[in-house]
């Protein structure tokens, strides 16, 4: 197989790429990089992605990092079905919603940030969860309004990368015990999205490297 996704079952950024590949009908081999043991920082993986992050997608001769950049690449090279649909303004709206997750929520509570809070700053687990929930809830408040005012999907009536970013972030929110009852429109949308096989099959627990918790 000349398409390989380096990921980890619990990585929400890799989860985004799994969903997009499935929606576009692109098969791939999956290579698990164990984030718990620090495999992402080892020389072998750093030779693939210097930054030491998953996901990394190798597509033929191309080695790609950063999940949003990978989603944009997939959209350009494999345009069917479109995941950044619509006219210029609609596509900007899709990207804005996706970036609320990928730029304004996720970077504040990804593994290296939580490790820094625990290790260097000495925060207890509950304090770390409070930190993570704060940024999740502030981003979700905006996304909740967007979902409540939208159509069948987060950005209108067409499935998009906004939905692809949302579902993994909801998974992450549960890991830090976020009270999601404040976000009924997001929960309703999530339930509908998880009926779609590409979303359902990409769930962390369904990955071959998943570990029971
Ligand atoms: N902005 C990056 C974030 C990637 C990222 O944070 N990946 C996490 C897993 S979700 C990771 O590899 N963390 C390793 C670490 O923190 O050491 C993207 O969207 O791809």
């Amino acid at each position: 197989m000349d398409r390989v996704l380096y990921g980890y079952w619990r990585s929400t950024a890799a989860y985004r790429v799994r969903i997009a590949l499935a929606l576009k009908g692109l098969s791939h081999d999956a290579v698990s990089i164990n984030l718990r043991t620090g495999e992402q920082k080892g020389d072998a993986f750093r030779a693939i992605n210097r930054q030491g992050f998953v996901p990394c997608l190798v597509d033929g001769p191309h080695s790609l990092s950063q999940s949003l950049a990978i989603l944009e690449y997939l959209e350009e090279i494999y345009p069917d079905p479109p995941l950044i649909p619509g006219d210029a303004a609609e596509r900007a709206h899709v990207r804005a919603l996706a970036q609320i997750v990928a730029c304004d929520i996720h970077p504040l509570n990804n593994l290296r940030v939580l490790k820094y809070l625990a290790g260097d700053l000495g925060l207890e687990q509950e304090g770390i969860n409070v930190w993570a929930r704060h940024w999740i809830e502030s981003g979700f408040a905006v996304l909740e309004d967007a979902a409540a005012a939208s159509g069948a999907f987060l950005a209108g009536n067409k499935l998009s990368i906004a939905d692809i970013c949302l579902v993994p972030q909801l998974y992450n929110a549960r890991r830090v015990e976020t009270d999601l009852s404040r976000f009924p429109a997001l929960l309703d949308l999530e339930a509908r999205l998880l009926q779609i096989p590409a979303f359902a099959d990409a769930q962390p627990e369904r990955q071959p490297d998943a570990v029971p918790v």
Side-chain angles (χ1 to χ4, degrees):
M1 175 71 62
D2 64 357
R3 189 176 302 114
V4 180
L5 177 63
Y6 293 82
Y8 182 64
W9 67 287
R10 280 192 134 169
S11 159
T12 56
Y15 188 177
R16 297 170 195 155
V17 177
R18 289 197 297 267
I19 298 169
L21 286 169
L23 285 169
K24 288 187 179 284
L26 299 170
S27 57
H28 67 277
D29 286 335
V31 174
S32 177
I33 302 300
N34 192 328
L35 300 188
R36 282 286 147 206
T37 60
E39 193 180 354
Q40 73 276 21
K41 303 295 177 211
D43 290 345
F45 184 63
R46 287 238 196 210
I48 295 162
N49 180 3
R50 174 72 186 83
Q51 205 181 6
F53 283 166
V54 295
C56 180
L57 180 71
V58 174
D59 191 32
H62 306 298
S63 182
L64 308 156
S65 60
Q66 288 288 344
S67 62
L68 282 193
I70 295 171
L71 299 185
E72 294 271 354
Y73 165 87
L74 293 175
E75 185 72 356
E76 286 183 38
I77 306 292
Y78 310 102
D80 236 18
L83 297 177
I84 309 176
D87 62 20
E90 288 164 338
R91 291 200 301 276
H93 182 55
V94 163
R95 290 184 173 107
L97 295 172
Q99 287 174 25
I100 288 175
V101 173
C103 304
D104 298 337
I105 300 177
H106 178 259
L108 291 160
N109 59 41
N110 70 6
L111 183 60
R112 67 180 179 146
V113 170
L114 303 188
K115 273 184 164 171
Y116 180 75
L117 293 175
D120 298 60
L121 300 189
L123 256 68
E124 300 293 330
Q125 189 56 50
E126 184 46 29
I128 294 170
N129 285 358
V130 168
W131 161 277
R133 285 197 296 263
H134 174 76
W135 303 114
I136 290 169
E137 286 167 4
S138 82
F140 275 7
V142 177
L143 295 177
E144 171 70 15
D145 289 348
S150 188
F153 298 102
L154 188 53
N157 282 313
K158 290 177 188 150
L159 199 158
S160 74
I161 63 168
D163 304 290
I164 290 174
C165 288
L166 174 68
V167 169
Q169 192 58 54
L170 282 160
Y171 165 80
N172 175 269
R174 291 190 178 91
R175 286 188 65 190
V176 293
E177 298 169 2
T178 309
D179 175 11
L180 293 174
S181 65
R182 290 176 48 199
F183 309 110
L186 295 183
L187 291 176
D188 178 62
L189 175 56
E190 180 194 38
R192 285 182 283 111
L193 289 168
L194 286 173
Q195 301 294 316
I196 300 170
F199 281 81
D201 295 343
Q203 290 178 96
E205 297 77 11
R206 296 199 188 181
Q207 305 316 301
D209 57 336
V211 176
V213 284

